[in-house]
Amino acid sequence: MSSILLVTSSPRGAASHSTRVATELAQKLQAKTPGAKIVTRDLANNPLPHIDADYTSGIYTPAESRSAQQQSVVGVSDAIVDELFAADAVVIATGLINFNISSTLKSWIDHIARAGKTFSYGADGPKGLVTGKKVYVVIASGGVYSSGPAASFDHATPYLKATLGFLGMTDVEVVRIEGVAMGPEAEAKAISSALDYTSDLALAA
């Protein structure tokens, strides 16, 4: 493992549990592999542009025929895709916001989901082209969504697993930091449990 892509998306800055745990996981993975580097994509402080008409037309226009604006927005997407392909492992952090991922992380997915680049269609149907990567998804939530009556409201986990799998990233581990809004004791326990789990994951990497 020579490159670890850390994708953070929480708008809570230094107070973000998902960013903290994901960053510590990336550092633990890095420590296990001398020489490995962490490439951080901070979507909260540096959000990607939402896809628009220039993007959707530009990705289907030959490079030499694109307008300046098309070149600009497609260039952003190309850089994000290159960043993803260069990584050996990917650590993604998000809070559960309105039962799903953050909007900034959704924009990242919109930029990496590129027909002909990260997936293709053939006689046997779609094929993911981003293969051979271990992905860790760190999700923080105020309530408990891994089981119990609120489990069906967690749309983030199945969405990320399905989308990443569609692109070829099928080896996905989920780290939950849940129940952080249920009092200081529950919050501390959730963070401690998540950090312990990241240690186990790093050892197994």
Side-chain angles (χ1 to χ4, degrees), residues 74-98:
V74 175
V76 169
S77 180
D78 287 343
I80 298 301
V81 169
D82 290 344
E83 194 173 70
L84 175 62
F85 272 116
D88 298 293
V90 183
V91 182
I92 299 171
T94 184
L96 190 67
I97 301 176
N98 296 324

Side-chain angles (χ1 to χ4, degrees), residues 4-8 19 22-23 26 38-42 89-93:
I4 302 159
L5 176 59
L6 173 61
V7 182
T8 61
T19 298
T23 300
I38 297 174
V39 176
T40 301
R41 173 62 61 177
D42 184 345
V90 183
V91 182
I92 299 171

Side-chain angles (χ1 to χ4, degrees), residues 7 9 41 43-44 46-52 55 73 76-77 80-81 101-114 159-160:
V7 182
S9 63
R41 173 62 61 177
L43 299 172
N46 297 289
L48 297 172
H50 287 290
I51 59 174
D52 58 12
Y55 172 86
V73 295
V76 169
S77 180
I80 298 301
V81 169
I101 62 174
S102 63
S103 62
T104 52
L105 183 56
K106 178 58 168 62
S107 287
W108 180 78
I109 290 173
D110 288 340
H111 280 284
I112 66 168
R114 293 275 300 277
Y159 170 73
L160 285 172

Side-chain angles (χ1 to χ4, degrees), residues 10-201:
S10 173
R12 299 182 66 236
S16 168
H17 298 315
S18 65
T19 298
R20 173 190 169 185
V21 171
T23 300
E24 291 200 26
L25 172 55
Q27 292 170 343
K28 291 171 183 175
L29 293 171
Q30 181 187 39
K32 190 175 179 182
T33 308
K37 66 176 181 178
I38 297 174
V39 176
T40 301
R41 173 62 61 177
D42 184 345
L43 299 172
N45 287 318
N46 297 289
L48 297 172
H50 287 290
I51 59 174
D52 58 12
D54 287 312
Y55 172 86
T56 54
S57 60
I59 58 175
Y60 297 111
T61 301
E64 65 276 10
S65 301
R66 290 172 185 156
S67 68
Q69 186 59 26
Q70 286 175 328
Q71 289 281 21
S72 177
V73 295
V74 175
V76 169
S77 180
D78 287 343
I80 298 301
V81 169
D82 290 344
E83 194 173 70
L84 175 62
F85 272 116
D88 298 293
V90 183
V91 182
I92 299 171
T94 184
L96 190 67
I97 301 176
N98 296 324
F99 311 122
N100 214 320
I101 62 174
S102 63
S103 62
T104 52
L105 183 56
K106 178 58 168 62
S107 287
W108 180 78
I109 290 173
D110 288 340
H111 280 284
I112 66 168
R114 293 275 300 277
K117 282 185 172 287
T118 55
F119 68 94
S120 62
Y121 288 107
D124 298 323
K127 177 183 179 182
L129 304 178
V130 188
T131 58
K133 302 183 188 302
K134 180 75 176 184
V135 181
Y136 304 88
V137 174
V138 179
I139 301 180
S141 59
V144 175
Y145 295 88
S146 59
S147 61
S152 63
F153 288 93
D154 174 13
H155 300 292
T157 305
Y159 170 73
L160 285 172
K161 282 188 170 182
T163 305
L164 293 169
F166 180 81
L167 300 179
M169 293 170 279
T170 56
D171 189 359
V172 180
E173 294 280 358
V174 177
V175 179
R176 291 184 180 272
I177 317 159
E178 54 183 355
V180 297
M182 296 180 172
E185 185 176 340
E187 181 181 30
K189 183 178 179 181
I191 296 169
S192 177
S193 296
L195 290 173
D196 286 345
Y197 187 38
T198 61
S199 295
D200 294 338
L201 291 173

